[in-house]
Amino acid sequence: MRRRHTTLGEFIIENQKDFPYAKGELSALLSSIRLAGKMVNQEINKAGLAEILGKAGNDNVQGEEQMKLDVMANELFISTLRNRGEICGLASEEMEDFVIFNDEMHQDAKYVVLIDPLDGSSNIDVNVSVGTIFSIYRRVSKPGSPVTLEDFLQPGNRQVAAGYLIYGTSTILVYTTGNGVNGFTFDPGIGSFFLSHPNMKAPEEGKIYSINEGNYVHFPNGVKQYIKWCQELDESDGRPLTSRYIGSLVADFHRNLMKGGIYIYPTGTKAPKGKLRLLYECNPMAFLIEQAGGKATDGFTRILDLQPEELHQRVPFFCGSKKMVEKAEEFMQGH
Ligand code: P6P
């Protein structure tokens, strides 16, 4: 019989032994994210038909116009994660405050989740890949009590698991629990995710840089110098490099993880602290890229070591192939 790929569910159970103390809660939590991802995927794939494209008519906490699918994805993840009962609270890009799941079952749960339910949503109406990003921590507040802000403001190096779903030409779920990175492709005919990208590794070098060069005049000098370095002719190291910017973090990240590359969202006059959020965009992506052998910093400091001060805090983000991030840091640090 032809050996089939491992399903995500089988993989989660097989790898549960990596957590000697886990009694299956993390496995159940990852399975609920898998279910929510399937439901969001279903909605996105028919968005053009179901009158759920376009704007929801209100702004989110970031002051960004919410798309109907943003709101739908947020509600789907909240309800699915609540129903599984493995988390005591959730924070989302789409909501000002975190959600406390305060009935008894949830207050005894040991995990919290931070999520960007639909990143890159401005691309939805033009059919460009978008994604969901998630980050999982063990709660630090007393079990049995309501979750607190402290449970969410943990440094990224305390993450238990992190991952993303990319809704593109195929839907792929990529995640880590600290033992490497694995990708699972959704087979809509069967309704399951199958292991398609085992033990993903980011090439140490790459030839692709991803940055919104339209903001060039607003960039710090170190970034301007790095961009010019990428564009110089030097065949000894394959320059000029290729510029690729999709405008969807998950899509740019996924390509760079597969092929090698660097993604940069620096500070700028329009975004004095950068645009990307530390807790539910940069930390999960930083955990993933490090687990794949890459690097993620704010130009000076390892992202995972930053101590968060507030839920929707923004940071500059340099992420991708290790040697490319180190080269960009050289310019940022004035070497
Ligand atoms: P800009 C999407 O809104 C997002 O958060 C990332 O997915 C994406 O990389 C970035 O912002 C795009 O921002 O300012 O270049 O349009």
Side-chain angles (χ1 to χ4, degrees), residues 181-310:
V181 179
N182 292 281
F184 301 80
T185 299
F186 184 60
D187 179 337
I190 298 180
S192 295
F193 284 92
F194 289 92
L195 181 60
S196 50
H197 301 74
N199 196 25
M200 299 179 83
K201 290 295 177 196
E204 205 171 43
E205 267 295 5
K207 297 285 179 264
I208 296 171
Y209 68 101
S210 307
I211 188 168
N212 183 344
E213 295 192 55
N215 296 325
Y216 182 87
V217 291
H218 303 299
F219 288 154
N221 282 334
V223 171
K224 291 180 179 176
Q225 291 159 5
Y226 177 67
I227 291 173
K228 288 308 165 202
W229 180 85
C230 290
Q231 295 169 345
E232 281 169 357
L233 178 60
D234 181 337
E235 283 157 12
S236 68
D237 60 7
R239 285 182 290 147
L241 304 185
T242 295
S243 174
R244 284 282 184 278
Y245 191 68
I246 301 170
S248 184
L249 168 63
V250 174
D252 280 314
F253 179 95
H254 187 71
R255 185 208 50 244
N256 290 344
L257 172 58
M258 303 275 291
K259 295 188 161 185
I262 184 172
Y263 171 99
I264 302 176
Y265 208 107
T267 58
T269 40
K270 288 192 299 183
K273 292 191 174 158
K275 177 182 182 183
L276 299 188
R277 294 76 169 181
L278 173 59
L279 292 185
Y280 38 79
E281 290 174 327
C282 300
N283 271 336
M285 294 318 223
F287 189 16
L288 285 163
I289 202 70
E290 287 198 1
Q291 284 288 311
K295 194 169 185 186
T297 78
D298 64 3
F300 303 91
T301 306
R302 181 183 182 232
I303 289 290
L304 295 182
D305 291 339
L306 296 174
Q307 174 56 51
E309 307 296 333
E310 55 185 38

Side-chain angles (χ1 to χ4, degrees), residues 78 142 196 297 332:
I78 291 174
K142 194 161 80 56
S196 50
T297 78
M332 288 302 289

Side-chain angles (χ1 to χ4, degrees), residues 26-291:
L26 182 61
S27 298
L29 172 48
L30 290 168
S31 296
S32 62
I33 289 172
R34 171 186 57 176
L35 174 60
K38 287 182 187 177
M39 291 192 276
V40 170
N41 179 61
Q42 175 80 4
E43 292 304 318
I44 286 176
N45 286 346
K46 65 184 182 185
L49 301 172
E51 295 308 308
I52 52 174
L53 286 179
K55 302 180 177 19
N58 44 315
D59 289 357
N60 63 13
V61 63
Q62 325 292 339
E64 291 167 348
E65 199 141 48
Q66 278 187 313
M67 310 296 282
K68 291 175 185 170
L69 276 172
D70 275 341
V71 175
M72 175 278 300
N74 191 51
E75 287 164 3
L76 269 177
F77 270 93
I78 291 174
S79 58
T80 307
L81 289 168
R82 184 200 304 270
N83 293 346
R84 193 60 69 94
E86 299 302 348
I87 62 174
C88 49
L90 177 140
S92 166
E93 183 204 35
E94 297 303 325
M95 302 183 302
E96 172 99 31
D97 291 321
F98 56 89
V99 176
I100 301 173
F101 294 162
N102 55 10
D103 54 71
E104 193 173 328
M105 169 174 80
H106 291 97
Q107 287 200 2
D108 290 334
K110 64 167 80 162
Y111 295 108
V112 296
V113 169
L114 297 107
I115 196 160
D116 183 355
L118 208 53
D119 180 74
S121 51
S122 55
N123 290 305
I124 289 171
D125 290 6
V126 296
N127 212 28
V128 167
S129 299
V130 292
T132 297
I133 308 171
F134 62 89
S135 172
I136 303 174
Y137 289 86
R138 206 169 279 102
R139 74 179 298 176
V140 291
S141 56
K142 194 161 80 56
S145 62
V147 73
T148 66
L149 181 59
E150 176 198 21
D151 291 309
F152 296 100
L153 296 186
Q154 299 183 55
N157 56 37
R158 301 276 296 277
Q159 288 176 98
V160 172
Y164 59 84
L165 287 123
I166 178 168
Y167 310 104
T169 44
S170 59
T171 294
I172 300 177
L173 189 152
V174 175
Y175 84 99
T176 182
T177 56
N179 294 298
V181 179
N182 292 281
F184 301 80
T185 299
F186 184 60
D187 179 337
I190 298 180
S192 295
F193 284 92
F194 289 92
L195 181 60
S196 50
H197 301 74
N199 196 25
M200 299 179 83
K201 290 295 177 196
E204 205 171 43
E205 267 295 5
K207 297 285 179 264
I208 296 171
Y209 68 101
S210 307
I211 188 168
N212 183 344
E213 295 192 55
N215 296 325
Y216 182 87
V217 291
H218 303 299
F219 288 154
N221 282 334
V223 171
K224 291 180 179 176
Q225 291 159 5
Y226 177 67
I227 291 173
K228 288 308 165 202
W229 180 85
C230 290
Q231 295 169 345
E232 281 169 357
L233 178 60
D234 181 337
E235 283 157 12
S236 68
D237 60 7
R239 285 182 290 147
L241 304 185
T242 295
S243 174
R244 284 282 184 278
Y245 191 68
I246 301 170
S248 184
L249 168 63
V250 174
D252 280 314
F253 179 95
H254 187 71
R255 185 208 50 244
N256 290 344
L257 172 58
M258 303 275 291
K259 295 188 161 185
I262 184 172
Y263 171 99
I264 302 176
Y265 208 107
T267 58
T269 40
K270 288 192 299 183
K273 292 191 174 158
K275 177 182 182 183
L276 299 188
R277 294 76 169 181
L278 173 59
L279 292 185
Y280 38 79
E281 290 174 327
C282 300
N283 271 336
M285 294 318 223
F287 189 16
L288 285 163
I289 202 70
E290 287 198 1
Q291 284 288 311

